[in-house]
Amino acid sequence: NAGVTQTPKFQVLKTGQSMTLQCAQDMNHNSMYWYRQDPGMGLRLIYYSASEGTTDKGEVPNGYNVSRLNKREFSLRLESAAPSQTSVYFCASSWGSGANVLTFGAGSRLTVL
Amino acid sequence: KNEVEQSPQNLTAQEGEFITINCSYSVGISALHWLQQHPGGGIVSLFMLSSGKKKHGRLIATINIQEKHSSLHITASHPRDSAVYICAVSDRGSTLGRLYFGRGTQLTVWP
């Protein structure tokens, strides 16, 4: 099925470890996003990419890096994980800006001990 | 400061009841989104609207731009409608139409 694929679905890390969340979409969307969702809070934007080769910081970028490898793929990297990064992460994509329908991935639940 | 406020936070209904979830926002918008999130599941876009009203099956979304308010209605609610419903707005003042999300409304429909 067409859509947004995220991996892994679950991950447990120790403080200081690194990992990369992978995201790929097959809808030829230009824009891709990484959000985190924490209990009692709305989704918060970590990074976004308006097109291949461009990335920009969102609301909560500290502790994360991203790569827009090509039009399909947008990865999120935690270089040195901290317990505060325990969250559910969602990748999303759209044709253009936020005024277009968003398609979300299934989410990645990350626990940092 | 929350740019998007949803009410109620939690909502319990009996199967068949008419449901209304409200969303108020404070920024100028280019679009408003209603999203659905099932327990343990991903997030699905239900509606995107910038004016008027949209209907899909038993779901109806309305928006009043002047009052900066939107409602999501579910007619003849069913237990499978149990989910978190999230309102999000695209900021017209943002170059890339940055989205602000509400905290969600947890809906539980009992048989």
Side-chain angles (χ1 to χ4, degrees), chain A residues 33-60:
Chain A
Y33 313 83
W34 276 106
Y35 293 97
R36 61 178 287 173
Q37 185 179 42
D38 300 295
M41 304 188 73
L43 286 154
R44 292 183 292 169
L45 182 65
I46 305 171
Y47 270 94
Y48 62 90
S49 171
S51 62
E52 183 180 350
T54 68
T55 61
D56 285 285
K57 293 178 181 179
E59 196 179 343
V60 287

mmCIF file with all atom_site columns, all heavy atoms in Angstrom, chain A residues 33-60:
data_model
loop_
_atom_site.group_PDB
_atom_site.id
_atom_site.type_symbol
_atom_site.label_atom_id
_atom_site.label_alt_id
_atom_site.label_comp_id
_atom_site.label_asym_id
_atom_site.label_entity_id
_atom_site.label_seq_id
_atom_site.pdbx_PDB_ins_code
_atom_site.Cartn_x
_atom_site.Cartn_y
_atom_site.Cartn_z
_atom_site.occupancy
_atom_site.B_iso_or_equiv
_atom_site.pdbx_formal_charge
_atom_site.auth_seq_id
_atom_site.auth_comp_id
_atom_site.auth_asym_id
_atom_site.auth_atom_id
_atom_site.pdbx_PDB_model_num
ATOM 1   N N   . TYR A 1 33 ? 8.284  15.479 7.298  1.00 0.00 ? 33 TYR A N   1
ATOM 2   C CA  . TYR A 1 33 ? 8.326  16.031 8.660  1.00 0.00 ? 33 TYR A CA  1
ATOM 3   C C   . TYR A 1 33 ? 8.646  14.924 9.668  1.00 0.00 ? 33 TYR A C   1
ATOM 4   O O   . TYR A 1 33 ? 8.272  13.765 9.470  1.00 0.00 ? 33 TYR A O   1
ATOM 5   C CB  . TYR A 1 33 ? 6.959  16.616 9.045  1.00 0.00 ? 33 TYR A CB  1
ATOM 6   C CG  . TYR A 1 33 ? 6.320  17.516 8.014  1.00 0.00 ? 33 TYR A CG  1
ATOM 7   C CD1 . TYR A 1 33 ? 5.592  16.985 6.959  1.00 0.00 ? 33 TYR A CD1 1
ATOM 8   C CD2 . TYR A 1 33 ? 6.429  18.900 8.111  1.00 0.00 ? 33 TYR A CD2 1
ATOM 9   C CE1 . TYR A 1 33 ? 4.997  17.787 6.025  1.00 0.00 ? 33 TYR A CE1 1
ATOM 10  C CE2 . TYR A 1 33 ? 5.820  19.722 7.170  1.00 0.00 ? 33 TYR A CE2 1
ATOM 11  C CZ  . TYR A 1 33 ? 5.104  19.162 6.130  1.00 0.00 ? 33 TYR A CZ  1
ATOM 12  O OH  . TYR A 1 33 ? 4.514  19.981 5.198  1.00 0.00 ? 33 TYR A OH  1
ATOM 13  N N   . TRP A 1 34 ? 9.293  15.335 10.738 1.00 0.00 ? 34 TRP A N   1
ATOM 14  C CA  . TRP A 1 34 ? 9.416  14.487 11.917 1.00 0.00 ? 34 TRP A CA  1
ATOM 15  C C   . TRP A 1 34 ? 8.777  15.205 13.098 1.00 0.00 ? 34 TRP A C   1
ATOM 16  O O   . TRP A 1 34 ? 9.106  16.363 13.393 1.00 0.00 ? 34 TRP A O   1
ATOM 17  C CB  . TRP A 1 34 ? 10.881 14.185 12.249 1.00 0.00 ? 34 TRP A CB  1
ATOM 18  C CG  . TRP A 1 34 ? 11.431 13.036 11.476 1.00 0.00 ? 34 TRP A CG  1
ATOM 19  C CD1 . TRP A 1 34 ? 12.310 13.079 10.431 1.00 0.00 ? 34 TRP A CD1 1
ATOM 20  C CD2 . TRP A 1 34 ? 11.155 11.650 11.686 1.00 0.00 ? 34 TRP A CD2 1
ATOM 21  N NE1 . TRP A 1 34 ? 12.578 11.824 9.977  1.00 0.00 ? 34 TRP A NE1 1
ATOM 22  C CE2 . TRP A 1 34 ? 11.897 10.924 10.734 1.00 0.00 ? 34 TRP A CE2 1
ATOM 23  C CE3 . TRP A 1 34 ? 10.368 10.955 12.599 1.00 0.00 ? 34 TRP A CE3 1
ATOM 24  C CZ2 . TRP A 1 34 ? 11.860 9.538  10.665 1.00 0.00 ? 34 TRP A CZ2 1
ATOM 25  C CZ3 . TRP A 1 34 ? 10.326 9.579  12.523 1.00 0.00 ? 34 TRP A CZ3 1
ATOM 26  C CH2 . TRP A 1 34 ? 11.075 8.883  11.561 1.00 0.00 ? 34 TRP A CH2 1
ATOM 27  N N   . TYR A 1 35 ? 7.851  14.475 13.764 1.00 0.00 ? 35 TYR A N   1
ATOM 28  C CA  . TYR A 1 35 ? 7.178  14.991 14.948 1.00 0.00 ? 35 TYR A CA  1
ATOM 29  C C   . TYR A 1 35 ? 7.459  14.050 16.114 1.00 0.00 ? 35 TYR A C   1
ATOM 30  O O   . TYR A 1 35 ? 7.706  12.863 15.931 1.00 0.00 ? 35 TYR A O   1
ATOM 31  C CB  . TYR A 1 35 ? 5.663  15.031 14.750 1.00 0.00 ? 35 TYR A CB  1
ATOM 32  C CG  . TYR A 1 35 ? 5.173  16.011 13.727 1.00 0.00 ? 35 TYR A CG  1
ATOM 33  C CD1 . TYR A 1 35 ? 4.894  15.623 12.419 1.00 0.00 ? 35 TYR A CD1 1
ATOM 34  C CD2 . TYR A 1 35 ? 4.957  17.354 14.067 1.00 0.00 ? 35 TYR A CD2 1
ATOM 35  C CE1 . TYR A 1 35 ? 4.432  16.520 11.489 1.00 0.00 ? 35 TYR A CE1 1
ATOM 36  C CE2 . TYR A 1 35 ? 4.489  18.264 13.127 1.00 0.00 ? 35 TYR A CE2 1
ATOM 37  C CZ  . TYR A 1 35 ? 4.226  17.838 11.842 1.00 0.00 ? 35 TYR A CZ  1
ATOM 38  O OH  . TYR A 1 35 ? 3.760  18.731 10.920 1.00 0.00 ? 35 TYR A OH  1
ATOM 39  N N   . ARG A 1 36 ? 7.331  14.599 17.313 1.00 0.00 ? 36 ARG A N   1
ATOM 40  C CA  . ARG A 1 36 ? 7.306  13.761 18.502 1.00 0.00 ? 36 ARG A CA  1
ATOM 41  C C   . ARG A 1 36 ? 5.997  14.008 19.243 1.00 0.00 ? 36 ARG A C   1
ATOM 42  O O   . ARG A 1 36 ? 5.442  15.116 19.206 1.00 0.00 ? 36 ARG A O   1
ATOM 43  C CB  . ARG A 1 36 ? 8.506  13.996 19.407 1.00 0.00 ? 36 ARG A CB  1
ATOM 44  C CG  . ARG A 1 36 ? 8.683  15.365 19.965 1.00 0.00 ? 36 ARG A CG  1
ATOM 45  C CD  . ARG A 1 36 ? 9.906  15.436 20.902 1.00 0.00 ? 36 ARG A CD  1
ATOM 46  N NE  . ARG A 1 36 ? 9.651  14.750 22.170 1.00 0.00 ? 36 ARG A NE  1
ATOM 47  C CZ  . ARG A 1 36 ? 10.589 14.539 23.101 1.00 0.00 ? 36 ARG A CZ  1
ATOM 48  N NH1 . ARG A 1 36 ? 11.835 14.947 22.901 1.00 0.00 ? 36 ARG A NH1 1
ATOM 49  N NH2 . ARG A 1 36 ? 10.283 13.904 24.218 1.00 0.00 ? 36 ARG A NH2 1
ATOM 50  N N   . GLN A 1 37 ? 5.505  12.939 19.866 1.00 0.00 ? 37 GLN A N   1
ATOM 51  C CA  . GLN A 1 37 ? 4.251  13.036 20.603 1.00 0.00 ? 37 GLN A CA  1
ATOM 52  C C   . GLN A 1 37 ? 4.479  12.558 22.024 1.00 0.00 ? 37 GLN A C   1
ATOM 53  O O   . GLN A 1 37 ? 4.887  11.416 22.246 1.00 0.00 ? 37 GLN A O   1
ATOM 54  C CB  . GLN A 1 37 ? 3.162  12.183 19.940 1.00 0.00 ? 37 GLN A CB  1
ATOM 55  C CG  . GLN A 1 37 ? 1.795  12.335 20.579 1.00 0.00 ? 37 GLN A CG  1
ATOM 56  C CD  . GLN A 1 37 ? 0.738  11.494 19.883 1.00 0.00 ? 37 GLN A CD  1
ATOM 57  O OE1 . GLN A 1 37 ? 0.964  10.351 19.531 1.00 0.00 ? 37 GLN A OE1 1
ATOM 58  N NE2 . GLN A 1 37 ? -0.435 12.092 19.662 1.00 0.00 ? 37 GLN A NE2 1
ATOM 59  N N   . ASP A 1 38 ? 4.206  13.431 22.970 1.00 0.00 ? 38 ASP A N   1
ATOM 60  C CA  . ASP A 1 38 ? 4.376  13.129 24.384 1.00 0.00 ? 38 ASP A CA  1
ATOM 61  C C   . ASP A 1 38 ? 3.032  13.233 25.082 1.00 0.00 ? 38 ASP A C   1
ATOM 62  O O   . ASP A 1 38 ? 2.175  14.035 24.666 1.00 0.00 ? 38 ASP A O   1
ATOM 63  C CB  . ASP A 1 38 ? 5.378  14.106 25.004 1.00 0.00 ? 38 ASP A CB  1
ATOM 64  C CG  . ASP A 1 38 ? 6.743  14.005 24.327 1.00 0.00 ? 38 ASP A CG  1
ATOM 65  O OD1 . ASP A 1 38 ? 7.361  12.938 24.453 1.00 0.00 ? 38 ASP A OD1 1
ATOM 66  O OD2 . ASP A 1 38 ? 7.160  14.964 23.660 1.00 0.00 ? 38 ASP A OD2 1
ATOM 67  N N   . PRO A 1 39 ? 2.838  12.464 26.149 1.00 0.00 ? 39 PRO A N   1
ATOM 68  C CA  . PRO A 1 39 ? 1.539  12.466 26.860 1.00 0.00 ? 39 PRO A CA  1
ATOM 69  C C   . PRO A 1 39 ? 1.121  13.876 27.266 1.00 0.00 ? 39 PRO A C   1
ATOM 70  O O   . PRO A 1 39 ? 1.925  14.641 27.813 1.00 0.00 ? 39 PRO A O   1
ATOM 71  C CB  . PRO A 1 39 ? 1.817  11.590 28.082 1.00 0.00 ? 39 PRO A CB  1
ATOM 72  C CG  . PRO A 1 39 ? 2.933  10.697 27.668 1.00 0.00 ? 39 PRO A CG  1
ATOM 73  C CD  . PRO A 1 39 ? 3.791  11.522 26.748 1.00 0.00 ? 39 PRO A CD  1
ATOM 74  N N   . GLY A 1 40 ? -0.135 14.215 26.998 1.00 0.00 ? 40 GLY A N   1
ATOM 75  C CA  . GLY A 1 40 ? -0.666 15.503 27.417 1.00 0.00 ? 40 GLY A CA  1
ATOM 76  C C   . GLY A 1 40 ? -0.238 16.674 26.563 1.00 0.00 ? 40 GLY A C   1
ATOM 77  O O   . GLY A 1 40 ? -0.602 17.819 26.852 1.00 0.00 ? 40 GLY A O   1
ATOM 78  N N   . MET A 1 41 ? 0.525  16.396 25.499 1.00 0.00 ? 41 MET A N   1
ATOM 79  C CA  . MET A 1 41 ? 0.970  17.485 24.627 1.00 0.00 ? 41 MET A CA  1
ATOM 80  C C   . MET A 1 41 ? 0.565  17.198 23.191 1.00 0.00 ? 41 MET A C   1
ATOM 81  O O   . MET A 1 41 ? 0.407  16.042 22.801 1.00 0.00 ? 41 MET A O   1
ATOM 82  C CB  . MET A 1 41 ? 2.487  17.634 24.712 1.00 0.00 ? 41 MET A CB  1
ATOM 83  C CG  . MET A 1 41 ? 2.983  17.850 26.129 1.00 0.00 ? 41 MET A CG  1
ATOM 84  S SD  . MET A 1 41 ? 4.720  18.249 26.176 1.00 0.00 ? 41 MET A SD  1
ATOM 85  C CE  . MET A 1 41 ? 4.690  19.916 25.567 1.00 0.00 ? 41 MET A CE  1
ATOM 86  N N   . GLY A 1 42 ? 0.430  18.244 22.442 1.00 0.00 ? 42 GLY A N   1
ATOM 87  C CA  . GLY A 1 42 ? 0.170  18.055 21.013 1.00 0.00 ? 42 GLY A CA  1
ATOM 88  C C   . GLY A 1 42 ? 1.430  17.609 20.303 1.00 0.00 ? 42 GLY A C   1
ATOM 89  O O   . GLY A 1 42 ? 2.533  17.667 20.846 1.00 0.00 ? 42 GLY A O   1
ATOM 90  N N   . LEU A 1 43 ? 1.275  17.169 19.083 1.00 0.00 ? 43 LEU A N   1
ATOM 91  C CA  . LEU A 1 43 ? 2.438  16.822 18.269 1.00 0.00 ? 43 LEU A CA  1
ATOM 92  C C   . LEU A 1 43 ? 3.344  18.045 18.124 1.00 0.00 ? 43 LEU A C   1
ATOM 93  O O   . LEU A 1 43 ? 2.861  19.154 17.892 1.00 0.00 ? 43 LEU A O   1
ATOM 94  C CB  . LEU A 1 43 ? 1.989  16.362 16.884 1.00 0.00 ? 43 LEU A CB  1
ATOM 95  C CG  . LEU A 1 43 ? 1.371  14.970 16.835 1.00 0.00 ? 43 LEU A CG  1
ATOM 96  C CD1 . LEU A 1 43 ? 0.424  14.841 15.662 1.00 0.00 ? 43 LEU A CD1 1
ATOM 97  C CD2 . LEU A 1 43 ? 2.455  13.925 16.761 1.00 0.00 ? 43 LEU A CD2 1
ATOM 98  N N   . ARG A 1 44 ? 4.625  17.816 18.241 1.00 0.00 ? 44 ARG A N   1
ATOM 99  C CA  . ARG A 1 44 ? 5.592  18.922 18.104 1.00 0.00 ? 44 ARG A CA  1
ATOM 100 C C   . ARG A 1 44 ? 6.574  18.611 16.994 1.00 0.00 ? 44 ARG A C   1
ATOM 101 O O   . ARG A 1 44 ? 7.101  17.496 16.912 1.00 0.00 ? 44 ARG A O   1
ATOM 102 C CB  . ARG A 1 44 ? 6.315  19.152 19.429 1.00 0.00 ? 44 ARG A CB  1
ATOM 103 C CG  . ARG A 1 44 ? 5.412  19.691 20.530 1.00 0.00 ? 44 ARG A CG  1
ATOM 104 C CD  . ARG A 1 44 ? 6.198  19.979 21.792 1.00 0.00 ? 44 ARG A CD  1
ATOM 105 N NE  . ARG A 1 44 ? 6.700  18.757 22.412 1.00 0.00 ? 44 ARG A NE  1
ATOM 106 C CZ  . ARG A 1 44 ? 7.578  18.743 23.405 1.00 0.00 ? 44 ARG A CZ  1
ATOM 107 N NH1 . ARG A 1 44 ? 8.065  19.880 23.878 1.00 0.00 ? 44 ARG A NH1 1
ATOM 108 N NH2 . ARG A 1 44 ? 7.977  17.599 23.918 1.00 0.00 ? 44 ARG A NH2 1
ATOM 109 N N   . LEU A 1 45 ? 6.829  19.600 16.178 1.00 0.00 ? 45 LEU A N   1
ATOM 110 C CA  . LEU A 1 45 ? 7.687  19.433 15.020 1.00 0.00 ? 45 LEU A CA  1
ATOM 111 C C   . LEU A 1 45 ? 9.152  19.466 15.422 1.00 0.00 ? 45 LEU A C   1
ATOM 112 O O   . LEU A 1 45 ? 9.603  20.406 16.068 1.00 0.00 ? 45 LEU A O   1
ATOM 113 C CB  . LEU A 1 45 ? 7.392  20.544 14.005 1.00 0.00 ? 45 LEU A CB  1
ATOM 114 C CG  . LEU A 1 45 ? 8.172  20.511 12.702 1.00 0.00 ? 45 LEU A CG  1
ATOM 115 C CD1 . LEU A 1 45 ? 7.822  19.267 11.894 1.00 0.00 ? 45 LEU A CD1 1
ATOM 116 C CD2 . LEU A 1 45 ? 7.890  21.776 11.881 1.00 0.00 ? 45 LEU A CD2 1
ATOM 117 N N   . ILE A 1 46 ? 9.886  18.449 15.001 1.00 0.00 ? 46 ILE A N   1
ATOM 118 C CA  . ILE A 1 46 ? 11.315 18.389 15.302 1.00 0.00 ? 46 ILE A CA  1
ATOM 119 C C   . ILE A 1 46 ? 12.096 19.014 14.149 1.00 0.00 ? 46 ILE A C   1
ATOM 120 O O   . ILE A 1 46 ? 12.875 19.954 14.337 1.00 0.00 ? 46 ILE A O   1
ATOM 121 C CB  . ILE A 1 46 ? 11.768 16.935 15.510 1.00 0.00 ? 46 ILE A CB  1
ATOM 122 C CG1 . ILE A 1 46 ? 10.923 16.247 16.584 1.00 0.00 ? 46 ILE A CG1 1
ATOM 123 C CG2 . ILE A 1 46 ? 13.249 16.883 15.902 1.00 0.00 ? 46 ILE A CG2 1
ATOM 124 C CD1 . ILE A 1 46 ? 11.162 14.761 16.693 1.00 0.00 ? 46 ILE A CD1 1
ATOM 125 N N   . TYR A 1 47 ? 11.923 18.475 12.969 1.00 0.00 ? 47 TYR A N   1
ATOM 126 C CA  . TYR A 1 47 ? 12.555 18.976 11.754 1.00 0.00 ? 47 TYR A CA  1
ATOM 127 C C   . TYR A 1 47 ? 11.592 18.766 10.587 1.00 0.00 ? 47 TYR A C   1
ATOM 128 O O   . TYR A 1 47 ? 10.735 17.882 10.629 1.00 0.00 ? 47 TYR A O   1
ATOM 129 C CB  . TYR A 1 47 ? 13.845 18.198 11.442 1.00 0.00 ? 47 TYR A CB  1
ATOM 130 C CG  . TYR A 1 47 ? 15.102 18.759 12.041 1.00 0.00 ? 47 TYR A CG  1
ATOM 131 C CD1 . TYR A 1 47 ? 15.562 18.288 13.273 1.00 0.00 ? 47 TYR A CD1 1
ATOM 132 C CD2 . TYR A 1 47 ? 15.850 19.729 11.379 1.00 0.00 ? 47 TYR A CD2 1
ATOM 133 C CE1 . TYR A 1 47 ? 16.739 18.793 13.825 1.00 0.00 ? 47 TYR A CE1 1
ATOM 134 C CE2 . TYR A 1 47 ? 17.036 20.230 11.930 1.00 0.00 ? 47 TYR A CE2 1
ATOM 135 C CZ  . TYR A 1 47 ? 17.462 19.756 13.154 1.00 0.00 ? 47 TYR A CZ  1
ATOM 136 O OH  . TYR A 1 47 ? 18.628 20.250 13.704 1.00 0.00 ? 47 TYR A OH  1
ATOM 137 N N   . TYR A 1 48 ? 11.785 19.552 9.566  1.00 0.00 ? 48 TYR A N   1
ATOM 138 C CA  . TYR A 1 48 ? 11.045 19.306 8.340  1.00 0.00 ? 48 TYR A CA  1
ATOM 139 C C   . TYR A 1 48 ? 11.943 19.540 7.133  1.00 0.00 ? 48 TYR A C   1
ATOM 140 O O   . TYR A 1 48 ? 13.016 20.148 7.245  1.00 0.00 ? 48 TYR A O   1
ATOM 141 C CB  . TYR A 1 48 ? 9.786  20.176 8.267  1.00 0.00 ? 48 TYR A CB  1
ATOM 142 C CG  . TYR A 1 48 ? 10.035 21.662 8.252  1.00 0.00 ? 48 TYR A CG  1
ATOM 143 C CD1 . TYR A 1 48 ? 10.215 22.361 7.067  1.00 0.00 ? 48 TYR A CD1 1
ATOM 144 C CD2 . TYR A 1 48 ? 10.069 22.379 9.445  1.00 0.00 ? 48 TYR A CD2 1
ATOM 145 C CE1 . TYR A 1 48 ? 10.433 23.722 7.068  1.00 0.00 ? 48 TYR A CE1 1
ATOM 146 C CE2 . TYR A 1 48 ? 10.285 23.745 9.445  1.00 0.00 ? 48 TYR A CE2 1
ATOM 147 C CZ  . TYR A 1 48 ? 10.466 24.408 8.262  1.00 0.00 ? 48 TYR A CZ  1
ATOM 148 O OH  . TYR A 1 48 ? 10.691 25.763 8.273  1.00 0.00 ? 48 TYR A OH  1
ATOM 149 N N   . SER A 1 49 ? 11.480 19.020 6.022  1.00 0.00 ? 49 SER A N   1
ATOM 150 C CA  . SER A 1 49 ? 12.207 19.169 4.771  1.00 0.00 ? 49 SER A CA  1
ATOM 151 C C   . SER A 1 49 ? 11.200 19.521 3.690  1.00 0.00 ? 49 SER A C   1
ATOM 152 O O   . SER A 1 49 ? 10.303 18.747 3.394  1.00 0.00 ? 49 SER A O   1
ATOM 153 C CB  . SER A 1 49 ? 12.920 17.864 4.409  1.00 0.00 ? 49 SER A CB  1
ATOM 154 O OG  . SER A 1 49 ? 13.445 17.930 3.102  1.00 0.00 ? 49 SER A OG  1
ATOM 155 N N   . ALA A 1 50 ? 11.359 20.709 3.117  1.00 0.00 ? 50 ALA A N   1
ATOM 156 C CA  . ALA A 1 50 ? 10.402 21.174 2.117  1.00 0.00 ? 50 ALA A CA  1
ATOM 157 C C   . ALA A 1 50 ? 10.665 20.546 0.750  1.00 0.00 ? 50 ALA A C   1
ATOM 158 O O   . ALA A 1 50 ? 9.783  20.514 -0.102 1.00 0.00 ? 50 ALA A O   1
ATOM 159 C CB  . ALA A 1 50 ? 10.444 22.700 2.010  1.00 0.00 ? 50 ALA A CB  1
ATOM 160 N N   . SER A 1 51 ? 11.876 20.095 0.547  1.00 0.00 ? 51 SER A N   1
ATOM 161 C CA  . SER A 1 51 ? 12.219 19.466 -0.731 1.00 0.00 ? 51 SER A CA  1
ATOM 162 C C   . SER A 1 51 ? 13.525 18.712 -0.556 1.00 0.00 ? 51 SER A C   1
ATOM 163 O O   . SER A 1 51 ? 14.244 18.892 0.437  1.00 0.00 ? 51 SER A O   1
ATOM 164 C CB  . SER A 1 51 ? 12.350 20.508 -1.839 1.00 0.00 ? 51 SER A CB  1
ATOM 165 O OG  . SER A 1 51 ? 13.392 21.410 -1.528 1.00 0.00 ? 51 SER A OG  1
ATOM 166 N N   . GLU A 1 52 ? 13.832 17.902 -1.526 1.00 0.00 ? 52 GLU A N   1
ATOM 167 C CA  . GLU A 1 52 ? 15.085 17.146 -1.484 1.00 0.00 ? 52 GLU A CA  1
ATOM 168 C C   . GLU A 1 52 ? 16.259 18.113 -1.347 1.00 0.00 ? 52 GLU A C   1
ATOM 169 O O   . GLU A 1 52 ? 16.329 19.114 -2.040 1.00 0.00 ? 52 GLU A O   1
ATOM 170 C CB  . GLU A 1 52 ? 15.207 16.355 -2.785 1.00 0.00 ? 52 GLU A CB  1
ATOM 171 C CG  . GLU A 1 52 ? 16.418 15.459 -2.857 1.00 0.00 ? 52 GLU A CG  1
ATOM 172 C CD  . GLU A 1 52 ? 16.483 14.691 -4.167 1.00 0.00 ? 52 GLU A CD  1
ATOM 173 O OE1 . GLU A 1 52 ? 15.484 14.719 -4.927 1.00 0.00 ? 52 GLU A OE1 1
ATOM 174 O OE2 . GLU A 1 52 ? 17.518 14.072 -4.428 1.00 0.00 ? 52 GLU A OE2 1
ATOM 175 N N   . GLY A 1 53 ? 17.123 17.802 -0.402 1.00 0.00 ? 53 GLY A N   1
ATOM 176 C CA  . GLY A 1 53 ? 18.319 18.624 -0.214 1.00 0.00 ? 53 GLY A CA  1
ATOM 177 C C   . GLY A 1 53 ? 18.161 19.768 0.755  1.00 0.00 ? 53 GLY A C   1
ATOM 178 O O   . GLY A 1 53 ? 19.131 20.467 1.053  1.00 0.00 ? 53 GLY A O   1
ATOM 179 N N   . THR A 1 54 ? 16.957 19.980 1.281  1.00 0.00 ? 54 THR A N   1
ATOM 180 C CA  . THR A 1 54 ? 16.753 21.065 2.246  1.00 0.00 ? 54 THR A CA  1
ATOM 181 C C   . THR A 1 54 ? 16.155 20.516 3.526  1.00 0.00 ? 54 THR A C   1
ATOM 182 O O   . THR A 1 54 ? 15.285 19.636 3.490  1.00 0.00 ? 54 THR A O   1
ATOM 183 C CB  . THR A 1 54 ? 15.815 22.148 1.707  1.00 0.00 ? 54 THR A CB  1
ATOM 184 O OG1 . THR A 1 54 ? 14.497 21.615 1.584  1.00 0.00 ? 54 THR A OG1 1
ATOM 185 C CG2 . THR A 1 54 ? 16.273 22.661 0.370  1.00 0.00 ? 54 THR A CG2 1
ATOM 186 N N   . THR A 1 55 ? 16.641 21.035 4.646  1.00 0.00 ? 55 THR A N   1
ATOM 187 C CA  . THR A 1 55 ? 16.059 20.687 5.940  1.00 0.00 ? 55 THR A CA  1
ATOM 188 C C   . THR A 1 55 ? 16.048 21.933 6.809  1.00 0.00 ? 55 THR A C   1
ATOM 189 O O   . THR A 1 55 ? 16.920 22.805 6.665  1.00 0.00 ? 55 THR A O   1
ATOM 190 C CB  . THR A 1 55 ? 16.854 19.577 6.659  1.00 0.00 ? 55 THR A CB  1
ATOM 191 O OG1 . THR A 1 55 ? 18.191 20.033 6.906  1.00 0.00 ? 55 THR A OG1 1
ATOM 192 C CG2 . THR A 1 55 ? 16.890 18.293 5.844  1.00 0.00 ? 55 THR A CG2 1
ATOM 193 N N   . ASP A 1 56 ? 15.069 22.008 7.700  1.00 0.00 ? 56 ASP A N   1
ATOM 194 C CA  . ASP A 1 56 ? 14.965 23.148 8.606  1.00 0.00 ? 56 ASP A CA  1
ATOM 195 C C   . ASP A 1 56 ? 14.495 22.705 9.976  1.00 0.00 ? 56 ASP A C   1
ATOM 196 O O   . ASP A 1 56 ? 13.765 21.706 10.096 1.00 0.00 ? 56 ASP A O   1
ATOM 197 C CB  . ASP A 1 56 ? 13.987 24.190 8.050  1.00 0.00 ? 56 ASP A CB  1
ATOM 198 C CG  . ASP A 1 56 ? 14.577 24.965 6.906  1.00 0.00 ? 56 ASP A CG  1
ATOM 199 O OD1 . ASP A 1 56 ? 15.432 25.840 7.183  1.00 0.00 ? 56 ASP A OD1 1
ATOM 200 O OD2 . ASP A 1 56 ? 14.220 24.687 5.763  1.00 0.00 ? 56 ASP A OD2 1
ATOM 201 N N   . LYS A 1 57 ? 14.924 23.463 10.975 1.00 0.00 ? 57 LYS A N   1
ATOM 202 C CA  . LYS A 1 57 ? 14.551 23.144 12.348 1.00 0.00 ? 57 LYS A CA  1
ATOM 203 C C   . LYS A 1 57 ? 13.093 23.480 12.591 1.00 0.00 ? 57 LYS A C   1
ATOM 204 O O   . LYS A 1 57 ? 12.565 24.450 12.064 1.00 0.00 ? 57 LYS A O   1
ATOM 205 C CB  . LYS A 1 57 ? 15.416 23.937 13.325 1.00 0.00 ? 57 LYS A CB  1
ATOM 206 C CG  . LYS A 1 57 ? 16.875 23.540 13.300 1.00 0.00 ? 57 LYS A CG  1
ATOM 207 C CD  . LYS A 1 57 ? 17.693 24.391 14.257 1.00 0.00 ? 57 LYS A CD  1
ATOM 208 C CE  . LYS A 1 57 ? 19.158 23.993 14.204 1.00 0.00 ? 57 LYS A CE  1
ATOM 209 N NZ  . LYS A 1 57 ? 19.989 24.826 15.114 1.00 0.00 ? 57 LYS A NZ  1
ATOM 210 N N   . GLY A 1 58 ? 12.486 22.657 13.441 1.00 0.00 ? 58 GLY A N   1
ATOM 211 C CA  . GLY A 1 58 ? 11.137 22.923 13.887 1.00 0.00 ? 58 GLY A CA  1
ATOM 212 C C   . GLY A 1 58 ? 11.140 23.478 15.286 1.00 0.00 ? 58 GLY A C   1
ATOM 213 O O   . GLY A 1 58 ? 12.027 24.236 15.676 1.00 0.00 ? 58 GLY A O   1
ATOM 214 N N   . GLU A 1 59 ? 10.170 23.048 16.054 1.00 0.00 ? 59 GLU A N   1
ATOM 215 C CA  . GLU A 1 59 ? 9.955  23.574 17.392 1.00 0.00 ? 59 GLU A CA  1
ATOM 216 C C   . GLU A 1 59 ? 10.934 23.020 18.431 1.00 0.00 ? 59 GLU A C   1
ATOM 217 O O   . GLU A 1 59 ? 11.372 23.722 19.338 1.00 0.00 ? 59 GLU A O   1
ATOM 218 C CB  . GLU A 1 59 ? 8.535  23.187 17.794 1.00 0.00 ? 59 GLU A CB  1
ATOM 219 C CG  . GLU A 1 59 ? 7.926  23.894 18.948 1.00 0.00 ? 59 GLU A CG  1
ATOM 220 C CD  . GLU A 1 59 ? 6.501  23.398 19.170 1.00 0.00 ? 59 GLU A CD  1
ATOM 221 O OE1 . GLU A 1 59 ? 5.927  22.767 18.246 1.00 0.00 ? 59 GLU A OE1 1
ATOM 222 O OE2 . GLU A 1 59 ? 5.979  23.611 20.270 1.00 0.00 ? 59 GLU A OE2 1
ATOM 223 N N   . VAL A 1 60 ? 11.305 21.736 18.287 1.00 0.00 ? 60 VAL A N   1
ATOM 224 C CA  . VAL A 1 60 ? 12.132 21.053 19.301 1.00 0.00 ? 60 VAL A CA  1
ATOM 225 C C   . VAL A 1 60 ? 13.288 20.294 18.652 1.00 0.00 ? 60 VAL A C   1
ATOM 226 O O   . VAL A 1 60 ? 13.369 19.070 18.747 1.00 0.00 ? 60 VAL A O   1
ATOM 227 C CB  . VAL A 1 60 ? 11.268 20.110 20.172 1.00 0.00 ? 60 VAL A CB  1
ATOM 228 C CG1 . VAL A 1 60 ? 10.397 20.900 21.123 1.00 0.00 ? 60 VAL A CG1 1
ATOM 229 C CG2 . VAL A 1 60 ? 10.423 19.171 19.304 1.00 0.00 ? 60 VAL A CG2 1
#
